[in-house]
């Protein structure tokens, strides 16, 4: 066998090995990206469920909470009032009118039934936990001053993002809903 054939075979084998590792590396990156997308979708769904509970808590109690036990207890035992509103317009002799608003309470509905009853396999006790882990979401609730008015704010944030890009600057870009400094109930994925 000539030296040319030996070098050709060695270069061919080396090219096949390098090609395999190259393709395997790209396939691994694609699988990791899909895994990150799946996990982030699960976290986003959980944050949406938490947002619904927080908004309901604030409407009934007048403020948000950062205490997971209070939120879970509220969702489990709390109730919304069902009301009916009617208005009566009374014409005045001087040409103006007056409006009388009547609000009748028709009954109550449990918070859990209103928000989570139609969600399959929903476990209220796992609401504060990141899906598939025993790590609780970071919760913050407080009042801030915006435009000389005191307003309620909340933020629920993923404490340990799976996506390395979201871990930069002390998890600054982590998936979250609400804000510590703005009046919003939006998520940063929206």
């Amino acid at each position: 066998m000539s030296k040319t054939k030996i070098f050709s075979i060695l270069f061919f084998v080396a090219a096949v090995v390098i090609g395999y590792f190259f393709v395997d590396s790209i396939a691994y990156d694609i699988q990791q990206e899909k895994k990150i997308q799946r996990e982030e979708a699960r976290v986003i769904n959980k944050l949406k469920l938490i947002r619904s509970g927080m908004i309901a808590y604030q409407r009934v109690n007048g403020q948000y909470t950062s205490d997971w036990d209070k939120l879970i207890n509220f969702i489990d035992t709390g109730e919304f009032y069902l009301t009916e509103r009617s208005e009566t317009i009374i014409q005045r002799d001087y040409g103006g009118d007056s409006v009388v608003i009547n609000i009748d309470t028709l009954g109550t509905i449990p918070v859990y039934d209103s928000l989570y009853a139609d969600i399959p396999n929903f476990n209220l006790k796992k609401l504060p936990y990141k899906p598939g882990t025993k790590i609780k979401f970071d919760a913050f609730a407080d009042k801030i001053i915006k435009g000389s008015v005191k307003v309620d704010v909340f933020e629920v944030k993923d404490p340990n993002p799976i996506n390395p890009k979201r871990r930069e600057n002390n998890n600054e870009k982590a998936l979250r809903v609400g804000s510590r400094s703005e009046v919003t109930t939006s998520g940063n994925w929206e």
Side-chain angles (χ1 to χ4, degrees), residues 35-135:
K35 179 182 176 186
I36 287 171
Q37 288 175 354
R38 275 193 313 269
E39 291 301 315
E40 283 192 345
R42 291 176 62 197
V43 169
I44 288 169
N45 285 336
K46 182 66 77 99
L47 288 172
K48 287 178 181 178
L49 296 174
I50 293 170
R51 172 175 52 193
S52 298
M54 283 288 205
I55 291 171
Y57 187 92
Q58 195 268 343
R59 285 187 180 156
V60 171
N61 296 302
Q63 63 186 16
Y64 295 111
T65 183
S66 59
D67 184 346
W68 288 113
D69 293 331
K70 284 182 181 178
L71 182 63
I72 289 172
N73 187 44
F74 166 74
I75 292 169
D76 194 31
T77 61
E79 294 181 330
F80 287 128
Y81 287 102
L82 299 174
T83 59
E84 179 180 67
R85 178 183 167 144
S86 62
E87 297 178 359
T88 306
I89 299 174
I90 301 169
Q91 296 293 327
R92 299 288 182 192
D93 294 335
Y94 56 85
D97 57 356
S98 176
V99 178
V100 176
I101 299 173
N102 294 315
I103 300 175
D104 293 328
T105 303
L106 304 175
T108 60
I109 183 171
V111 172
Y112 182 87
D113 291 346
S114 176
L115 299 177
Y116 305 112
D118 60 342
I119 299 172
N121 302 323
F122 179 75
N123 184 347
L124 181 59
K125 299 295 182 204
K126 292 185 179 180
L127 184 67
Y129 296 97
K130 194 173 163 184
T133 69
K134 295 188 181 212
I135 299 171

Side-chain angles (χ1 to χ4, degrees), residues 5 21 28 35 77 90 94 103 105 167 174 176 183 189:
K5 278 191 172 185
F21 285 117
Y28 177 77
K35 179 182 176 186
T77 61
I90 301 169
Y94 56 85
I103 300 175
T105 303
R167 289 189 210 136
R176 67 171 170 73
V183 182
W189 65 89

